[in-house]
Amino acid sequence: MIRWIVASLFLGVVYSKFDFKLNLDILENSIFGGYPNPEHNKDEKNKYNKVSVDKKYSKQPDQIIIEAGYPAETHTVITPDGYILHIHRIPHSRGGKYDEKRPVVFLQHGLLASSADWIIMGPEHGLAFILSDAGYDVWMGNYRGNSYSHHHTNDSISRRDYWRFSWDEMAKYDLPTMLTHMMDVTGESSFYYIGHSMGTLTFYTACNYHPWIGSAARLMVGYGPHTVVPHMTSPVFTRLARYVSDIEWLFDKLGIYEFAPSDSMIEWAAEEVCDRNMRDEALCRDILFLICGYNKNEMNNTALPYIMGHTPAGTSTWNMVHYAQSVNHGLWMGLDFGSDSANLKHWNSTEPPTYSYEKVITPVALYWGQNDWLVDPRDVEFLKNKLPNVVLYQRVNETEYTHLDFLWGEHNKKLVYGPTIELMKHY
């Protein structure tokens, strides 16, 4: 009976729709984006990318960048296990030149997010643009399963196999693949790293798998940083944690492996429900901020339809389960597949590995919000006490500041981004 109760709670927000036929045209790197000719094979492009280029509120990141007057590139990389990822780049600011040497900074999104989050607030408020104007070569990653990394080299892979990943694989395969490509293209041997939410967790985890990442990063800046989240207050995750074993059964039996995709329903909501006459309605905000919390002091209602046109950008159910497990056991460890045999098959051990803080040797700056539903201040303090090289532990100077404000807060340039750039000058 409990399984059907859980089903009724979550079927309304979780479903899967994905065709795995591979369009090989996406393997072309292009200065103007992942598709060299915007008109080429338009039907296929719209079929594979859940965000369509001709929609007002859900334009492709490279299109947003170009329309803002900056140069844009989209790079395609393939992970060792066959996932095809897209990286977006702003090589220089407006009026700059390609042959000018610039320090490299890599921005990595968080849970249910994408590279678009760094740019949709525009040149005045988007971190990627602000960094570009400050003289940086800006790269923005996309983890497997989101709107811009939704493909695999095996065109016959099953949905079950494609979506069988969590942040373990993002740290082990995705992040090192993207960073290696960035360093190869730029010729740089070091970089700055700024991560939000899961983008911090995966960096710390990647340092366990790939020690060179910790050595090559000049400074790691974490917004909403964490490894464990036992004090999380998000209503969605606390409910997930309560029923996590039954949720695993539910998704497995019903064949639903992708969690909260950024599909046509979200796009419709952004264009119709959250348009001019509805921007101030609670319903409009609840859809997006139920997981992470809401702060009216930082939210620009005019930007809300554009935010919802790109988020949630999608991830796997297993990734959500992995977070729910962290709420329950409070440990920084790999995904527990639920049985000794399943763990043996994946980990060669009946228990998933526990990760080490000592392997994160990079200088680390931690920015946190007092009203963060996802990353409670107690969990950030725990992280600060565990990491060996914390150079800054900073509460954002606004009482109501929450998890998503790091991306879209109206006062971020003063509260977070400006201080971040000043800190980067010292490393």
Side-chain angles (χ1 to χ4, degrees):
M1 176 63 70
I2 186 65
R3 289 172 173 168
W4 297 111
I5 295 175
V6 174
S8 67
L9 289 172
F10 290 100
L11 271 177
V13 295
V14 183
Y15 77 101
S16 177
K17 182 177 69 176
F18 188 69
D19 186 337
F20 287 93
K21 181 181 178 183
L22 178 65
N23 180 355
L24 294 179
D25 288 334
I26 65 172
L27 297 181
E28 295 291 334
N29 286 327
S30 167
I31 191 171
F32 296 111
Y35 295 89
N37 181 350
E39 297 302 318
H40 177 67
N41 210 1
K42 182 181 287 186
D43 290 340
E44 284 297 306
K45 178 173 63 175
N46 290 339
K47 180 179 181 181
Y48 290 106
N49 286 275
K50 292 181 289 183
V51 178
S52 175
V53 296
D54 61 354
K55 299 296 184 180
K56 178 181 178 181
Y57 297 126
S58 54
K59 296 175 181 177
Q60 296 280 335
D62 54 309
Q63 185 178 359
I64 296 173
I65 295 167
I66 291 170
E67 289 182 357
Y70 294 73
E73 296 178 8
T74 297
H75 292 250
T76 304
V77 296
I78 301 175
T79 66
D81 57 345
Y83 287 80
I84 301 172
L85 316 178
H86 286 99
I87 314 168
H88 294 110
R89 180 192 188 192
I90 307 177
H92 59 78
S93 62
R94 291 175 285 195
K97 297 180 180 179
Y98 271 92
D99 56 0
E100 294 176 353
K101 197 75 169 176
R102 294 173 181 79
V104 176
V105 59
F106 191 87
L107 309 183
Q108 186 54 55
H109 65 74
L111 183 66
L112 295 168
S114 75
S115 58
D117 294 337
W118 306 108
I119 57 175
I120 55 178
M121 295 302 291
E124 294 300 316
H125 299 284
L127 178 59
F129 293 120
I130 293 171
L131 285 166
S132 178
D133 289 340
Y136 290 89
D137 182 352
V138 183
W139 295 70
M140 295 163 278
N142 285 290
Y143 279 140
R144 62 182 63 194
N146 85 352
S147 300
Y148 310 111
S149 294
H150 218 256
H151 305 83
H152 198 277
T153 54
N154 179 3
D155 59 3
S156 62
I157 190 172
S158 68
R159 291 190 302 163
R160 177 188 176 93
D161 289 340
Y162 177 91
W163 292 105
R164 197 172 180 81
F165 63 79
S166 77
W167 51 258
D168 283 316
E169 285 73 25
M170 298 173 193
K172 186 175 182 179
Y173 301 120
D174 296 5
L175 188 55
T177 298
M178 293 188 290
L179 292 176
T180 298
H181 178 79
M182 176 186 69
M183 296 169 75
D184 287 344
V185 170
T186 62
E188 294 292 323
S189 60
S190 63
F191 57 88
Y192 296 95
Y193 183 97
I194 300 177
H196 173 244
S197 186
M198 189 180 68
T200 68
L201 169 63
T202 47
F203 178 89
Y204 307 138
T205 307
C207 289
N208 278 253
Y209 287 110
H210 308 280
W212 66 265
I213 291 178
S215 300
R218 299 166 67 171
L219 174 70
M220 184 276 174
V221 180
Y223 298 153
H226 62 280
T227 50
V228 298
V229 285
H231 298 102
M232 182 188 292
T233 57
S234 166
V236 171
F237 271 111
T238 53
R239 183 168 291 180
L240 275 168
R242 187 182 307 169
Y243 300 114
V244 66
S245 61
D246 289 288
I247 289 169
E248 292 172 18
W249 172 90
L250 168 67
F251 293 135
D252 183 62
K253 295 301 182 184
L254 297 184
I256 301 173
Y257 306 109
E258 179 180 10
F259 189 94
S262 180
D263 58 12
S264 58
M265 184 178 295
I266 299 298
E267 185 174 309
W268 172 85
E271 292 187 25
E272 300 295 329
V273 178
C274 294
D275 211 340
R276 294 179 182 177
N277 295 329
M278 296 291 290
R279 286 175 189 158
D280 295 329
E281 295 295 327
L283 173 65
C284 189
R285 298 190 183 108
D286 285 347
I287 296 171
L288 185 59
F289 296 100
L290 180 62
I291 291 178
C292 299
Y294 170 71
N295 176 13
K296 65 180 180 180
N297 298 328
E298 292 296 329
M299 177 48 57
N300 181 338
N301 284 340
T302 303
L304 191 56
Y306 298 91
I307 293 171
M308 292 191 66
H310 293 87
T311 56
T315 190
S316 71
T317 298
W318 279 109
N319 197 32
M320 303 295 282
V321 168
H322 200 172
Y323 263 95
Q325 289 178 354
S326 178
V327 175
N328 285 339
H329 57 53
L331 299 174
W332 182 25
M333 61 191 303
L335 175 65
D336 187 341
F337 285 88
S339 70
D340 288 350
S341 59
N343 283 330
L344 275 170
K345 182 178 181 179
H346 188 86
W347 297 115
N348 199 31
S349 169
T350 57
E351 296 287 337
T354 299
Y355 296 113
S356 169
Y357 291 91
E358 295 302 317
K359 294 183 178 180
V360 187
I361 63 174
T362 309
V364 172
L366 305 175
Y367 286 87
W368 54 279
Q370 188 67 49
N371 191 39
D372 195 323
W373 289 8
L374 231 63
V375 185
D376 187 277
R378 290 170 291 181
D379 295 334
V380 186
E381 184 178 15
F382 175 85
L383 177 64
K384 177 202 68 171
N385 294 333
K386 286 288 188 178
L387 290 173
N389 195 8
V390 175
V391 298
L392 180 70
Y393 175 68
Q394 183 64 52
R395 172 188 174 274
V396 179
N397 190 25
E398 183 184 311
T399 304
E400 298 303 314
Y401 202 88
T402 189
H403 200 69
L404 297 178
D405 293 338
F406 285 108
L407 300 173
W408 308 314
E410 285 198 289
H411 304 102
N412 275 345
K413 196 168 185 177
K414 176 182 178 181
L415 294 174
V416 180
Y417 298 163
T420 294
I421 293 174
E422 285 301 311
L423 181 65
M424 292 167 67
K425 294 177 181 177
H426 299 283
Y427 292 89

